[in-house]
């Protein structure tokens, strides 16, 4: 068979014996963080999203209770005790901590002494941004922009700060200070 590569006989000779070795541990003592999920962007100083860490207890014989902490930019932002049943997982949730402007490096850490310390920390990133300044310019009729205003401000979590001005009162400075300008049924500027 030309071109088909070496035959199995030429790779492993008849004098080679194979032996299967089980590298598994009968009762592993490792506890680790499998994953961390987070709402990545916030527009408020107090983080209202959720940082959720999934913690796995690989021990088959007993549950573990251990401290879990979350830190941002090297400063601890929260800590709690979590109990994980034997051969199971539990979730640790953190929310309501201060979030500085810009990107922050987050780390969830469990305090466990086990043979695999590399899975005791899990890094993630969060971003706090300023809200966008939205200027709505209308003709000044009563309740003319009420639905636009409600759409942009229906939840405190939305990334908008809204200002409504009639076309007669709008200035160039108002427009310059706004990232978004909505012209709502104005016949003429």
């Amino acid at each position: 068979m030309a071109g088909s590569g070496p035959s199995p006989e030429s790779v492993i000779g008849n004098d080679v014996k194979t032996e299967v070795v089980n590298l598994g541990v009968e009762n592993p003592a490792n506890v680790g963080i499998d994953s961390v999920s987070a709402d990545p962007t916030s527009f408020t100083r107090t983080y209202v999203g959720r940082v959720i860490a999934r913690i796995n207890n690989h021990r088959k014989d007993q549950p573990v209770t251990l401290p879990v902490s979350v830190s941002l930019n090297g400063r601890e932002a929260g800590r709690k005790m979590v109990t994980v049943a034997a051969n199971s997982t539990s979730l640790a949730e953190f929310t309501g901590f201060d979030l500085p402007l810009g990107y922050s490096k987050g780390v969830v850490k469990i305090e466990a002494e086990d043979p695999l310390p590399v899975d005791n920390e899990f890094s993630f990133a969060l971003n706090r941004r300023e809200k966008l300044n939205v200027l709505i310019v209308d003709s000044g009729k009563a309740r003319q922009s009420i639905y636009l205003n409600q759409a942009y401000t229906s939840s405190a979590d939305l990334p908008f700060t809204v200002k409504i001005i009639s076309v007669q009162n709008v200035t160039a400075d108002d427009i310059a200070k706004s990232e978004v300008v909505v012209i709502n049924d104005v016949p003429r500027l």
Side-chain angles (χ1 to χ4, degrees), residues 25 52 135 141 146 185:
V25 177
I52 301 171
L135 175 65
K141 297 177 191 170
I146 190 169
D185 199 24

Side-chain angles (χ1 to χ4, degrees), residues 127-173:
N127 182 17
R128 177 177 154 214
R129 297 177 43 195
E130 289 286 345
K131 291 188 174 197
L132 291 173
N133 292 316
V134 176
L135 175 65
I136 299 175
V137 180
D138 63 20
S139 60
K141 297 177 191 170
R143 302 173 53 92
Q144 178 180 355
S145 298
I146 190 169
Y147 295 116
L148 276 172
N149 186 38
Q150 287 176 347
Y152 285 115
T153 61
S154 61
S155 168
D157 298 338
L158 290 175
F160 307 108
T161 301
V162 176
K163 182 177 181 181
I164 301 173
I165 298 180
S166 70
V167 70
Q168 295 86 2
N169 297 329
V170 71
T171 65
D173 191 46

Side-chain angles (χ1 to χ4, degrees), residues 90-118:
S90 288
L91 301 178
E93 181 177 321
F94 299 93
T95 190
F97 48 84
D98 279 347
L99 186 61
L101 274 174
Y103 284 96
S104 294
K105 177 186 178 188
V107 175
V108 174
K109 182 178 182 180
I110 58 174
E111 294 177 16
E113 293 191 21
D114 57 39
L116 189 61
V118 71

Side-chain angles (χ1 to χ4, degrees), residues 5-156:
S7 67
E9 293 85 32
S10 65
V11 175
I12 299 177
N14 291 335
D15 59 336
V16 176
K17 295 182 181 181
T18 60
E19 180 181 345
V20 177
V21 177
N22 183 358
L23 298 177
V25 177
E26 187 66 31
N27 190 16
N30 186 47
V31 180
I33 302 172
D34 287 346
S35 63
V36 171
S37 62
D39 302 322
T41 304
S42 177
F43 295 95
T44 58
R45 179 178 176 170
T46 301
Y47 182 72
V48 294
R50 301 183 313 161
V51 175
I52 301 171
R54 181 182 168 100
I55 302 163
N56 194 333
N57 179 8
H58 296 280
R59 293 188 70 113
K60 296 178 183 176
D61 61 344
Q62 64 185 10
V64 294
T65 300
L66 46 90
V68 182
S69 64
V70 63
S71 63
L72 293 175
N73 302 323
R75 300 181 89 186
E76 188 172 287
R79 175 180 285 272
K80 58 179 56 175
M81 296 298 287
V82 174
T83 299
V84 187
N87 202 30
S88 186
T89 59
S90 288
L91 301 178
E93 181 177 321
F94 299 93
T95 190
F97 48 84
D98 279 347
L99 186 61
L101 274 174
Y103 284 96
S104 294
K105 177 186 178 188
V107 175
V108 174
K109 182 178 182 180
I110 58 174
E111 294 177 16
E113 293 191 21
D114 57 39
L116 189 61
V118 71
D119 66 353
N120 293 351
E121 289 188 9
F122 201 102
S123 297
F124 63 97
L126 296 176
N127 182 17
R128 177 177 154 214
R129 297 177 43 195
E130 289 286 345
K131 291 188 174 197
L132 291 173
N133 292 316
V134 176
L135 175 65
I136 299 175
V137 180
D138 63 20
S139 60
K141 297 177 191 170
R143 302 173 53 92
Q144 178 180 355
S145 298
I146 190 169
Y147 295 116
L148 276 172
N149 186 38
Q150 287 176 347
Y152 285 115
T153 61
S154 61
S155 168

